[in-house]
């Protein structure tokens, strides 16, 4: 019995190891994808109006998800209208609208940091909606992360331009709400993640299309960079990124996943500095270090 089972052990070990590493690898890819999206959106928003950009980007994301759904031969019938509507309105509609308007006047790096008040909202909403624990390490991570964000944002130095910052924080809240509602949906019996993602994107797109009269498609400054950037933001970041995020939410606690996602604004700030010249101050670097401490604390929870 032992001899017969021995050849299978290395295979089983490799399978178990890959199962452990796959979420981390996908998370690392998602973090990089979403961090660079702030730079891409900031650049592509200069070629058109915010509402036009929002409609194009969210339409691309919705079409991509339904295209994948059809290509894989999955059931297209809507499974859970109420839950899909809740997630779609909070994530696809309100989050997308808030972050688009925030990036119009706000710096890409600064906006990304403010959006990532999201993990703090998730920690609070998860305790209320998901009954997830909020222990000592979570509180320590919350304090470290909040202190780091305050150093980066420096509200005591604000000189006008408060609206883009408030919109970025609001985007973080709507993203958190959508994530927690998605997590709750996965707990209510069997859920086809691809079907759910496609329908929430379509439902969230409908109120965005109501903004069509304020769009200006005739005066888009078309270029290869704009098209590639739009595909990046609409297909990769919105559609593919959302599928990966939902897959991770099914396997990890929402609060843990969102706190570890705090690495995204750190990368976004670095990318914005290199590509857009938005170099952080010493105070902001200290804030990033504190955010990193919060990530380590929540990861060891």
């Amino acid at each position: 019995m032992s001899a017969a089972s021995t050849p299978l052990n290395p295979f089983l070990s490799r399978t178990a190891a890959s199962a452990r590493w796959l979420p981390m690898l996908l998370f690392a890819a998602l973090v990089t994808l979403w961090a660079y999206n702030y730079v891409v959106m900031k650049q592509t928003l200069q070629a058109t109006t915010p509402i036009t950009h929002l409609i194009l980007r969210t339409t691309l994301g919705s079409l991509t998800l339904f295209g994948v759904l059809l290509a894989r031969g999955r059931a297209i019938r809507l499974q859970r209208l109420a839950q899909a509507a809740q997630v779609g309105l909070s994530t696809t509609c309100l989050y997308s609208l808030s972050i688009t308007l925030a990036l119009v006047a706000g710096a890409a790096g600064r906006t990304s940091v403010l959006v990532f008040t999201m993990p703090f909202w998730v920690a609070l909403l998860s305790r209320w909606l998901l009954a997830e624990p909020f222990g000592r390490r979570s509180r320590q991570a919350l304090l470290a992360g909040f202190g780091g964000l305050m150093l980066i944002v420096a509200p005591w130095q604000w000189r006008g331009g408060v609206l883009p910052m408030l919109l970025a924080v609001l985007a973080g809240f709507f993203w958190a709400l959508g994530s927690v509602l998605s997590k709750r949906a996965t707990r209510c019996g069997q859920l086809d993640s691809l079907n759910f993602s496609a329908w929430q994107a379509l439902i969230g797109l409908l109120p965005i299309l109501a903004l069509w009269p304020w769009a200006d498609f005739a005066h888009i400054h078309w270029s290869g960079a704009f098209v590639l950037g739009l595909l990046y933001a609409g297909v990769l970041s919105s559609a593919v990124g959302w599928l990966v995020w939902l897959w991770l939410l099914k396997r990890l606690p929402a609060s843990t996943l969102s706190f570890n996602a705090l690495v995204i604004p750190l990368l976004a700030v670095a990318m914005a500095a290199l590509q857009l010249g938005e170099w952080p101050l010493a105070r902001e670097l200290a804030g990033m270090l504190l955010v990193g401490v919060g990530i380590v604390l929540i990861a060891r929870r």
Side-chain angles (χ1 to χ4, degrees):
M1 178 71 174
S2 176
S5 61
T6 300
L8 295 176
N9 289 338
F11 172 76
L12 293 175
S13 298
R14 286 194 296 272
T15 302
S18 63
R20 287 195 302 269
W21 280 99
L22 182 58
M24 287 181 274
L25 291 174
L26 283 176
F27 181 75
L30 182 63
V31 159
T32 306
L33 178 71
W34 276 354
Y36 192 60
N37 189 51
Y38 287 94
V39 175
V40 171
M41 283 186 59
K42 182 66 178 179
Q43 291 180 318
T44 52
L45 274 166
Q46 297 175 20
T48 185
T49 65
I51 299 302
T52 308
H53 191 284
L54 175 65
I55 291 175
L56 290 173
R57 188 175 81 248
T58 50
T59 300
L60 273 173
S62 180
L63 289 175
T64 300
L65 288 169
F66 270 100
V68 174
L69 186 67
L70 291 172
R72 298 193 62 181
R74 305 279 275 274
I76 200 170
R77 185 172 62 87
L78 175 60
Q79 295 178 340
R80 301 181 189 174
L81 174 59
Q83 290 175 319
Q86 290 172 352
V87 175
L89 291 175
S90 58
T91 303
T92 299
C93 179
L94 296 174
Y95 164 75
S96 298
L97 177 61
S98 300
I99 196 172
T100 301
L101 296 177
L103 278 167
V104 173
R110 176 68 62 87
T111 300
S112 70
V113 173
L114 288 171
V115 169
F116 272 84
T117 52
M118 179 272 289
F120 309 135
W121 295 116
V122 167
L124 297 172
L125 290 170
S126 294
R127 187 176 185 181
W128 174 40
L129 296 174
L130 302 178
E132 288 188 358
F134 193 79
R136 181 172 59 88
R137 283 197 184 276
S138 294
R139 290 192 293 271
Q140 291 173 342
L142 184 67
L143 288 174
F146 183 77
L149 285 172
M150 287 301 98
L151 282 174
I152 296 170
V153 174
W156 57 88
Q157 293 185 3
W158 285 357
R159 298 290 187 275
V162 175
L163 183 58
M165 298 182 188
L166 293 178
L167 285 168
V169 173
L170 195 61
F173 172 78
F174 286 128
W175 182 8
L177 181 61
S179 296
V180 172
L181 290 172
S182 298
K183 180 74 173 182
R184 189 168 68 173
T186 63
R187 292 182 172 181
C188 300
Q190 190 66 26
L191 178 69
D192 185 335
S193 297
L194 182 55
N195 180 287
F196 186 80
S197 298
W199 278 103
Q200 69 81 21
L202 178 60
I203 293 172
L205 173 63
L206 295 179
I208 291 176
L209 291 178
L211 299 174
W212 194 282
W214 291 273
D216 184 7
F217 297 99
H219 295 93
I220 297 174
H221 299 292
W222 291 101
S223 68
F226 174 74
V227 173
L228 289 175
L230 204 60
L231 290 173
Y232 184 100
V235 177
L236 291 179
S237 182
S238 296
V240 177
W242 172 254
L243 284 175
V244 174
W245 180 255
L246 193 60
W247 187 88
L248 290 170
L249 276 172
K250 292 172 66 176
R251 290 156 178 83
L252 298 170
S255 55
T256 299
L257 184 60
S258 60
F259 268 111
N260 282 308
L262 278 169
V263 74
I264 293 176
L266 307 186
L267 284 176
V269 168
M271 291 172 174
L274 291 172
Q275 190 160 344
L276 303 177
E278 299 174 5
W279 291 96
L281 305 173
R283 157 182 58 76
E284 294 173 320
L285 291 173
M288 293 178 202
L289 179 61
L290 268 178
V291 171
V293 170
I295 293 172
V296 172
L297 285 172
I298 201 68
R300 296 177 58 191
R301 189 176 62 160

